[in-house]
Coordinates of all heavy atoms in Angstrom, one line a residue:
M30 N 113.8 91.8 121.6 CA 115.2 91.2 121.3 C 115.7 91.7 119.9 O 114.9 91.7 119.1 CB 115.3 89.8 121.5 CG 114.8 89.2 122.9 SD 115.9 89.8 124.2 CE 117.0 88.5 124.3
A31 N 117.0 91.9 119.9 CA 117.5 92.3 118.6 C 118.8 91.6 118.3 O 119.5 91.2 119.3 CB 117.7 93.8 118.5
T32 N 119.1 91.3 117.1 CA 120.4 90.6 116.7 C 121.4 91.6 116.4 O 121.2 92.6 115.6 CB 120.2 89.7 115.7 OG1 119.2 88.8 115.8 CG2 121.5 88.9 115.3
Y33 N 122.6 91.6 117.1 CA 123.6 92.5 117.0 C 124.9 91.7 116.4 O 124.9 90.6 116.8 CB 124.1 93.1 118.3 CG 123.0 94.1 118.8 CD1 122.1 93.6 119.7 CD2 122.8 95.4 118.5 CE1 121.1 94.4 120.2 CE2 121.8 96.3 118.9 CZ 120.9 95.7 119.9 OH 119.9 96.5 120.3
T34 N 125.6 92.4 115.6 CA 126.7 91.7 114.9 C 128.0 92.3 115.6 O 128.2 93.5 115.7 CB 126.7 92.0 113.4 OG1 125.5 91.5 112.9 CG2 127.9 91.3 112.8
Y35 N 128.9 91.4 115.8 CA 130.2 91.7 116.4 C 131.2 91.2 115.5 O 131.1 90.2 114.8 CB 130.5 91.1 117.9 CG 129.4 91.7 118.9 CD1 128.2 91.4 119.0 CD2 130.0 92.9 119.6 CE1 127.4 92.2 120.0 CE2 129.1 93.6 120.5 CZ 127.8 93.2 120.7 OH 127.1 93.7 121.5
R36 N 132.4 91.7 115.5 CA 133.6 91.3 114.7 C 134.7 90.6 115.6 O 135.2 91.3 116.3 CB 134.1 92.3 113.8 CG 135.3 91.8 112.9 CD 136.0 93.1 112.2 NE 134.8 93.8 111.6 CZ 134.8 94.0 110.2 NH1 135.8 93.6 109.5 NH2 133.8 94.7 109.8
C37 N 134.8 89.3 115.4 CA 136.0 88.6 116.0 C 137.1 88.6 114.9 O 136.9 88.2 113.8 CB 135.4 87.2 116.3 SG 136.8 86.1 117.0
T38 N 138.3 88.9 115.3 CA 139.4 88.8 114.5 C 139.6 87.5 113.8 O 139.7 87.4 112.6 CB 140.8 89.4 115.1 OG1 140.4 90.7 115.6 CG2 141.7 89.5 114.2
P39 N 139.6 86.5 114.6 CA 139.9 85.1 113.9 C 138.7 84.5 113.2 O 138.8 84.0 112.1 CB 140.3 84.3 115.1 CG 140.5 85.1 116.2 CD 139.8 86.3 116.0
D40 N 137.5 84.8 113.8 CA 136.2 84.1 113.3 C 135.5 84.9 112.3 O 134.6 84.5 111.7 CB 135.4 83.6 114.4 CG 136.1 82.6 115.3 OD1 136.9 81.9 114.8 OD2 135.9 82.6 116.5
G41 N 135.6 86.2 112.3 CA 134.9 87.1 111.4 C 133.5 87.6 112.2 O 133.6 87.6 113.4
P42 N 132.5 87.9 111.4 CA 131.3 88.4 112.1 C 130.5 87.4 113.0 O 130.5 86.1 112.6 CB 130.3 88.8 110.9 CG 131.1 88.6 109.8 CD 132.3 87.8 110.0
V43 N 130.1 87.8 114.1 CA 129.5 86.9 115.1 C 128.1 87.5 115.4 O 128.2 88.9 115.9 CB 130.4 86.6 116.3 CG1 129.7 85.8 117.3 CG2 131.6 86.0 115.9
D44 N 127.0 86.9 115.4 CA 125.8 87.5 115.9 C 125.5 87.2 117.3 O 125.8 86.1 117.8 CB 124.7 86.9 115.0 CG 124.8 87.4 113.6 OD1 125.3 88.6 113.4 OD2 124.1 86.9 112.7
A45 N 124.9 88.1 118.1 CA 124.6 88.0 119.4 C 123.3 88.6 119.7 O 122.9 89.7 118.9 CB 125.5 88.6 120.4
V46 N 122.4 88.1 120.5 CA 121.0 88.6 120.7 C 121.0 89.3 122.1 O 121.4 88.6 123.1 CB 119.9 87.4 120.5 CG1 118.6 88.0 120.9 CG2 120.0 86.8 119.2
F47 N 120.5 90.5 122.0 CA 120.3 91.4 123.3 C 119.0 92.1 123.3 O 118.6 92.3 122.1 CB 121.5 92.2 123.6 CG 122.9 91.7 123.8 CD1 123.8 91.5 122.8 CD2 123.0 91.1 125.0 CE1 125.0 91.0 122.9 CE2 124.4 90.5 125.2 CZ 125.3 90.4 124.2
P48 N 118.4 92.5 124.4 CA 117.3 93.3 124.2 C 117.7 94.6 123.6 O 119.0 95.1 123.8 CB 116.9 93.6 125.8 CG 117.5 92.4 126.6 CD 118.7 92.0 125.7
I49 N 116.9 95.3 122.9 CA 117.1 96.5 122.2 C 117.7 97.6 123.2 O 117.1 97.9 124.3 CB 115.9 97.0 121.5 CG1 115.5 96.1 120.4 CG2 116.1 98.4 121.0 CD1 114.2 96.5 119.6
G50 N 118.9 98.2 122.8 CA 119.5 99.2 123.6 C 120.4 98.7 124.6 O 121.0 99.6 125.4
T51 N 120.5 97.3 124.8 CA 121.4 97.0 125.8 C 122.6 96.3 125.4 O 123.4 95.5 126.1 CB 120.6 96.0 126.8 OG1 120.2 94.8 126.0 CG2 119.4 96.6 127.4
A52 N 122.9 96.3 124.1 CA 124.0 95.6 123.5 C 125.3 96.3 124.0 O 125.6 97.5 123.8 CB 124.0 95.6 122.0
P53 N 126.3 95.5 124.6 CA 127.5 96.0 125.0 C 128.4 96.3 123.8 O 128.3 95.7 122.7 CB 128.1 94.9 125.9 CG 127.5 93.7 125.4 CD 126.1 94.0 124.9
P54 N 129.4 97.2 124.0 CA 130.3 97.5 122.8 C 131.2 96.3 122.5 O 131.7 96.3 121.4 CB 131.0 98.8 123.3 CG 131.0 98.8 124.8 CD 129.6 98.0 125.2
T55 N 131.5 95.5 123.5 CA 132.3 94.3 123.1 C 131.8 93.2 123.9 O 131.1 93.3 124.9 CB 133.8 94.5 123.6 OG1 133.8 94.7 125.0 CG2 134.5 95.7 122.9
I56 N 131.9 92.0 123.2 CA 131.6 90.7 123.9 C 132.7 89.7 123.6 O 133.6 90.0 122.8 CB 130.4 90.1 123.3 CG1 130.4 89.8 121.8 CG2 129.1 91.0 123.5 CD1 129.4 88.9 121.2
S57 N 132.7 88.7 124.4 CA 133.8 87.6 124.1 C 133.1 86.7 123.1 O 131.9 86.3 123.1 CB 134.1 86.8 125.4 OG 133.0 86.2 125.9
C58 N 133.8 86.4 122.1 CA 133.4 85.5 121.0 C 132.9 84.2 121.5 O 133.7 83.6 122.3 CB 134.6 85.3 120.0 SG 134.0 84.2 118.6
P59 N 131.7 83.7 121.2 CA 131.2 82.4 121.5 C 132.1 81.2 121.0 O 132.0 80.1 121.5 CB 129.9 82.3 121.1 CG 129.8 83.3 119.9 CD 130.8 84.3 120.3
H60 N 132.8 81.5 120.0 CA 133.6 80.3 119.5 C 135.1 80.3 120.0 O 135.6 79.2 120.3 CB 133.7 80.6 117.9 CG 132.5 80.7 117.3 ND1 131.6 79.6 117.2 CD2 131.9 81.8 116.7 CE1 130.5 80.1 116.5 NE2 130.6 81.4 116.2
C61 N 135.7 81.4 120.1 CA 137.1 81.4 120.6 C 137.4 82.1 121.8 O 138.5 82.0 122.5 CB 138.1 81.9 119.5 SG 137.7 83.6 119.1
G62 N 136.4 82.9 122.3 CA 136.7 83.7 123.5 C 137.4 85.0 123.3 O 137.6 85.8 124.3
E63 N 137.8 85.3 122.1 CA 138.4 86.6 121.8 C 137.5 87.8 122.0 O 136.2 87.5 121.8 CB 139.0 86.5 120.4 CG 139.9 87.6 120.0 CD 141.4 87.4 120.4 OE1 141.6 86.1 120.7 OE2 142.1 88.3 120.4
T64 N 138.0 88.9 122.4 CA 137.1 90.1 122.5 C 136.7 90.5 121.1 O 137.5 90.7 120.2 CB 138.0 91.1 123.1 OG1 138.3 90.8 124.3 CG2 137.0 92.5 123.2
S65 N 135.3 90.7 121.0 CA 134.9 91.1 119.7 C 134.1 92.5 119.8 O 133.4 92.6 120.7 CB 133.8 90.1 119.2 OG 134.3 88.8 119.2
T66 N 134.3 93.3 118.8 CA 133.8 94.7 118.9 C 132.5 94.7 118.1 O 132.4 94.0 117.1 CB 134.8 95.7 118.3 OG1 135.1 95.4 117.1 CG2 136.0 95.8 119.3
R67 N 131.6 95.5 118.5 CA 130.3 95.7 117.8 C 130.4 96.3 116.5 O 131.2 97.4 116.3 CB 129.4 96.4 118.7 CG 127.9 96.5 118.2 CD 127.0 97.1 119.1 NE 125.8 97.5 118.5 CZ 124.8 98.3 119.0 NH1 125.0 98.7 120.1 NH2 123.8 98.6 118.2
L68 N 129.7 95.8 115.4 CA 129.6 96.4 114.2 C 128.3 97.1 114.1 O 127.3 96.7 114.6 CB 129.7 95.4 113.1 CG 131.0 94.6 113.0 CD1 130.8 93.5 111.8 CD2 132.1 95.4 112.6
F69 N 128.3 98.2 113.3 CA 127.1 99.0 113.2 C 126.7 98.8 111.7 O 127.5 99.1 110.9 CB 127.3 100.5 113.5 CG 127.3 100.7 115.1 CD1 128.5 100.7 115.6 CD2 126.3 100.8 115.8 CE1 128.7 100.9 117.0 CE2 126.4 101.0 117.0 CZ 127.5 100.9 117.7
S70 N 125.5 98.4 111.5 CA 125.0 98.2 110.1 C 123.5 98.7 110.1 O 122.9 99.0 111.1 CB 125.0 96.6 109.7 OG 124.2 95.9 110.6
A71 N 123.2 98.8 108.8 CA 121.8 99.4 108.5 C 120.8 98.2 109.0 O 121.0 97.1 108.7 CB 121.6 99.7 107.1
P72 N 119.7 98.8 109.7 CA 118.7 97.8 110.0 C 117.9 97.2 108.8 O 117.9 97.8 107.9 CB 117.6 98.5 111.0 CG 117.9 99.9 110.6 CD 119.3 100.0 110.1
M73 N 117.5 95.9 109.0 CA 116.9 95.3 107.9 C 115.5 95.5 107.8 O 114.6 94.6 107.5 CB 117.2 93.7 107.9 CG 118.7 93.5 107.8 SD 119.2 91.9 107.6 CE 118.1 90.9 108.2
L74 N 115.0 96.7 108.0 CA 113.5 97.0 108.1 C 112.9 97.0 106.6 O 111.7 96.8 106.5 CB 113.3 98.3 108.8 CG 113.7 98.4 110.3 CD1 113.5 99.8 110.8 CD2 113.0 97.2 111.0
G75 N 113.8 97.5 105.7 CA 113.2 97.6 104.4 C 113.0 96.3 103.6 O 112.5 96.4 102.5
L76 N 113.5 95.2 104.0 CA 113.3 94.0 103.4 C 111.9 93.3 103.5 O 111.5 92.4 102.8 CB 114.4 93.0 103.9 CG 115.8 93.5 103.8 CD1 116.8 92.5 104.3 CD2 116.1 93.8 102.3
A77 N 111.2 93.8 104.5 CA 109.8 93.1 104.7 C 108.7 93.7 103.8 O 108.8 94.8 103.5 CB 109.5 93.3 106.2
D78 N 107.8 93.0 103.5 CA 106.6 93.4 102.8 C 105.8 94.4 103.6 O 105.6 94.1 104.9 CB 105.7 92.2 102.4 CG 104.5 92.6 101.7 OD1 104.6 93.6 100.8 OD2 103.4 92.0 101.8
R79 N 105.4 95.6 103.1 CA 104.7 96.6 103.9 C 103.4 96.0 104.5 O 103.0 96.4 105.7 CB 104.6 97.9 103.1 CG 105.8 98.4 102.6 CD 105.6 99.7 101.9 NE 105.4 100.7 102.7 CZ 105.0 101.9 102.4 NH1 104.9 102.3 101.2 NH2 104.7 102.9 103.3
G80 N 102.7 95.3 103.7 CA 101.4 94.8 104.1 C 101.6 93.9 105.3 O 100.8 93.9 106.3
R81 N 102.4 93.0 105.3 CA 102.7 92.0 106.4 C 103.2 92.8 107.6 O 102.9 92.5 108.6 CB 103.8 91.0 105.8 CG 103.3 90.1 104.9 CD 104.2 89.0 104.6 NE 103.6 88.2 103.5 CZ 104.2 87.1 103.0 NH1 105.4 86.8 103.5 NH2 103.7 86.3 102.1
M82 N 104.1 93.8 107.4 CA 104.6 94.5 108.5 C 103.4 95.2 109.2 O 103.4 95.3 110.4 CB 105.7 95.4 108.1 CG 107.0 94.7 107.7 SD 107.7 93.6 109.0 CE 108.0 94.8 110.3
A83 N 102.5 95.9 108.5 CA 101.4 96.4 109.1 C 100.6 95.5 109.9 O 100.1 95.9 110.9 CB 100.5 97.1 108.0
V84 N 100.3 94.3 109.4 CA 99.6 93.3 110.1 C 100.3 92.9 111.4 O 99.6 92.9 112.4 CB 99.3 92.1 109.2 CG1 98.7 90.9 110.1 CG2 98.4 92.4 108.1
I85 N 101.6 92.8 111.3 CA 102.4 92.4 112.5 C 102.3 93.5 113.5 O 102.2 93.3 114.6 CB 103.9 92.0 112.1 CG1 103.8 90.7 111.3 CG2 104.8 91.9 113.3 CD1 105.2 90.5 110.7
D86 N 102.5 94.8 113.0 CA 102.3 95.9 113.9 C 101.1 96.1 114.6 O 100.9 96.3 115.8 CB 102.7 97.2 113.2 CG 104.3 97.3 112.7 OD1 105.0 96.6 113.3 OD2 104.5 98.1 111.9
R87 N 99.9 95.7 113.8 CA 98.6 95.7 114.4 C 98.5 94.7 115.4 O 97.9 94.9 116.6 CB 97.6 95.7 113.4 CG 97.2 97.0 112.7 CD 95.8 96.9 112.0 NE 95.9 95.8 111.0 CZ 96.2 96.0 109.7 NH1 96.6 97.2 109.2 NH2 96.0 95.0 108.9
A88 N 99.0 93.6 115.2 CA 98.8 92.4 116.1 C 99.7 92.8 117.4 O 99.2 92.6 118.5 CB 99.3 91.1 115.5
E89 N 100.8 93.3 117.2 CA 101.6 93.7 118.5 C 100.8 94.8 119.2 O 100.9 94.7 120.5 CB 103.0 94.0 118.0 CG 103.9 92.9 117.6 CD 104.4 92.0 118.6 OE1 104.6 92.6 119.7 OE2 104.4 90.9 118.3
S90 N 100.5 95.8 118.5 CA 99.8 96.9 119.3 C 98.5 96.4 120.0 O 98.2 97.0 121.1 CB 99.6 98.0 118.4 OG 98.6 97.6 117.4
S91 N 97.7 95.4 119.3 CA 96.6 95.0 120.0 C 96.9 94.2 121.3 O 96.1 94.1 122.2 CB 95.7 94.2 119.1 OG 96.4 92.9 118.8
R92 N 98.1 93.6 121.3 CA 98.5 92.9 122.5 C 98.8 93.8 123.6 O 98.4 93.5 124.7 CB 99.7 92.0 122.1 CG 100.0 91.2 123.3 CD 101.0 90.0 123.0 NE 102.0 90.5 122.0 CZ 103.2 90.1 122.1 NH1 103.6 89.1 122.8 NH2 104.2 90.5 121.2
T93 N 99.4 94.9 123.4 CA 99.8 95.9 124.3 C 98.9 97.0 124.5 O 98.7 97.6 125.6 CB 101.3 96.4 124.1 OG1 101.2 97.1 122.9 CG2 102.3 95.3 124.1
D94 N 98.3 97.6 123.5 CA 97.3 98.7 123.5 C 96.0 98.3 122.8 O 95.8 98.9 121.7 CB 98.0 99.9 122.9 CG 99.2 100.3 123.7 OD1 99.3 100.3 124.8 OD2 100.2 100.6 122.9
P95 N 95.2 97.4 123.4 CA 94.0 97.0 122.7 C 93.0 98.3 122.6 O 93.0 99.1 123.5 CB 93.5 95.9 123.6 CG 94.0 96.2 125.0 CD 95.3 96.8 124.8
A96 N 92.3 98.2 121.5 CA 91.4 99.2 121.3 C 90.1 99.0 122.3 O 89.6 98.0 122.3 CB 90.8 99.2 119.9
V97 N 89.9 100.0 123.0 CA 88.8 100.1 124.0 C 87.6 100.8 123.5 O 87.8 102.0 123.0 CB 89.3 100.7 125.4 CG1 88.2 100.6 126.3 CG2 90.5 99.8 125.9
V98 N 86.5 100.2 123.5 CA 85.2 101.0 123.0 C 84.4 101.2 124.3 O 84.4 100.5 125.3 CB 84.5 100.0 122.0 CG1 85.3 99.8 120.8 CG2 84.1 98.7 122.6
S99 N 83.6 102.3 124.1 CA 82.7 102.7 125.2 C 81.3 102.5 124.8 O 80.5 102.7 125.6 CB 83.0 104.2 125.6 OG 82.8 105.0 124.5
A100 N 81.0 102.0 123.5 CA 79.7 101.9 123.1 C 79.8 100.8 122.0 O 80.7 100.6 121.4 CB 79.1 103.2 122.6
P101 N 78.5 100.2 121.7 CA 78.5 99.3 120.7 C 78.7 99.9 119.4 O 78.4 101.3 119.3 CB 77.2 98.6 120.8 CG 76.4 99.5 121.6 CD 77.4 100.2 122.5
P102 N 79.0 99.3 118.3 CA 79.2 99.9 117.0 C 77.8 100.5 116.5 O 76.8 100.0 116.8 CB 79.7 98.9 116.1 CG 79.4 97.6 116.7 CD 79.3 97.9 118.2
P103 N 77.8 101.5 115.7 CA 76.5 102.0 115.2 C 75.8 101.0 114.3 O 76.5 100.2 113.7 CB 76.9 103.3 114.4 CG 78.4 103.1 114.2 CD 78.9 102.3 115.2
K104 N 74.5 101.1 114.3 CA 73.8 100.3 113.3 C 74.0 100.6 111.9 O 74.2 101.8 111.6 CB 72.3 100.3 113.8 CG 71.9 99.8 115.1 CD 70.5 99.8 115.4 CE 70.2 99.2 116.7 NZ 68.8 99.0 116.9
P105 N 74.1 99.6 111.1 CA 74.2 99.9 109.7 C 73.1 100.7 109.1 O 71.9 100.6 109.5 CB 74.3 98.6 109.1 CG 73.7 97.6 110.0 CD 73.8 98.2 111.4
S106 N 73.5 101.6 108.1 CA 72.3 102.4 107.6 C 71.4 101.6 106.7 O 70.2 102.1 106.6 CB 73.0 103.5 106.8 OG 73.9 102.9 105.8
R107 N 71.9 100.6 106.1 CA 71.0 99.8 105.2 C 70.3 98.8 106.1 O 70.9 98.2 107.1 CB 71.9 99.0 104.2 CG 72.3 100.1 103.1 CD 73.0 99.4 102.0 NE 74.3 98.7 102.6 CZ 75.0 97.8 102.0 NH1 74.4 97.3 100.9 NH2 76.0 97.2 102.5
P108 N 69.1 98.3 105.8 CA 68.5 97.3 106.6 C 69.1 96.0 106.3 O 69.7 95.8 105.3 CB 67.0 97.3 106.2 CG 67.0 98.0 104.8 CD 68.2 98.9 104.8
A109 N 68.9 95.1 107.2 CA 69.5 93.7 107.0 C 68.9 93.1 105.8 O 67.6 93.3 105.5 CB 69.3 92.8 108.3
P110 N 69.7 92.3 105.1 CA 69.0 91.7 103.8 C 67.8 90.7 104.3 O 67.9 90.0 105.2 CB 70.2 91.0 103.2 CG 71.2 90.8 104.3 CD 71.0 91.9 105.2
R111 N 66.9 90.7 103.4 CA 65.6 89.8 103.7 C 66.1 88.4 103.3 O 66.8 88.1 102.4 CB 64.5 90.2 102.9 CG 64.0 91.7 103.2 CD 62.9 92.1 102.6 NE 61.7 91.2 103.1 CZ 60.5 91.3 102.6 NH1 60.2 92.1 101.8 NH2 59.6 90.5 103.1
L112 N 65.6 87.5 104.2 CA 65.9 86.1 104.0 C 65.0 85.7 102.7 O 63.9 86.2 102.5 CB 65.4 85.3 105.1 CG 66.2 85.5 106.4 CD1 65.7 84.7 107.5 CD2 67.8 85.1 106.0
D113 N 65.5 84.6 102.1 CA 64.7 84.1 100.9 C 63.4 83.5 101.4 O 63.5 82.8 102.6 CB 65.7 83.0 100.4 CG 65.2 82.5 99.1 OD1 63.8 82.5 99.0 OD2 66.0 82.1 98.1
P114 N 62.4 83.8 101.0 CA 61.1 83.2 101.4 C 61.1 81.7 101.5 O 60.3 81.1 102.3 CB 60.0 83.9 100.5 CG 60.8 84.6 99.5 CD 62.2 84.6 99.7
R115 N 61.8 81.0 100.7 CA 61.9 79.6 100.7 C 62.4 79.1 102.0 O 62.3 77.8 102.3 CB 62.6 79.1 99.4 CG 61.9 79.5 98.2 CD 62.8 79.1 97.0 NE 63.9 80.0 96.9 CZ 64.9 79.9 95.9 NH1 64.8 78.9 95.0 NH2 65.8 80.6 96.0
T116 N 63.2 79.8 102.7 CA 63.8 79.4 104.0 C 62.7 78.9 105.0 O 62.8 78.1 105.9 CB 64.7 80.3 104.6 OG1 63.9 81.5 104.8 CG2 65.9 80.6 103.8
R117 N 61.4 79.5 104.8 CA 60.4 79.2 105.7 C 59.9 77.6 105.4 O 59.3 77.2 106.3 CB 59.1 80.1 105.6 CG 59.4 81.4 106.3 CD 58.1 82.3 106.2 NE 58.1 82.9 104.8 CZ 57.0 83.3 104.2 NH1 55.9 83.2 104.7 NH2 57.2 84.0 103.0
L118 N 60.2 77.2 104.2 CA 59.7 75.8 103.9 C 60.6 74.8 104.4 O 60.4 73.6 104.4 CB 59.6 75.7 102.4 CG 58.6 76.7 101.8 CD1 58.7 76.5 100.4 CD2 57.2 76.5 102.2
L119 N 61.9 75.3 104.9 CA 62.8 74.3 105.4 C 62.3 73.6 106.7 O 61.6 74.3 107.5 CB 64.1 75.0 105.8 CG 64.9 75.5 104.5 CD1 66.1 76.2 104.9 CD2 65.2 74.3 103.6
P120 N 62.6 72.4 107.0 CA 62.2 71.7 108.2 C 62.7 72.5 109.4 O 63.9 72.9 109.4 CB 62.7 70.3 108.1 CG 63.7 70.4 107.1 CD 63.5 71.5 106.2
R121 N 62.0 72.5 110.6 CA 62.4 73.1 111.8 C 62.7 72.0 112.8 O 62.1 71.0 112.8 CB 61.4 74.1 112.4 CG 60.9 75.1 111.4 CD 62.0 76.1 111.4 NE 61.5 77.3 110.3 CZ 62.4 78.0 109.7 NH1 63.6 78.0 110.1 NH2 61.9 78.9 108.9
P122 N 63.6 72.3 113.7 CA 63.9 71.3 114.7 C 62.9 71.1 115.7 O 62.0 72.0 115.9 CB 65.3 71.8 115.3 CG 65.2 73.2 115.0 CD 64.5 73.4 113.8
Ligands
ZN215 ZN1 136.1 84.2 117.7

């Protein structure tokens, strides 16, 4: 969904929400019923933080296009860190 702005002569700018690409060129004003024409303005994409937008985009894409793997991840090249030898002295259940 996207917010589109229309201009009503008596009321000024009026926002309306439609699915992207389906906004009609005119709507009736929700306040007075007058015919309002669509305004074209720059999208507000540049106002968001790039890092946050990347996270949002990844979350959205994982919902619709999840990463599918065909094999488990490769084993790490380094061996697992050794446990502290004192952990053997801890009580066991
Ligand atoms: Zn109006």
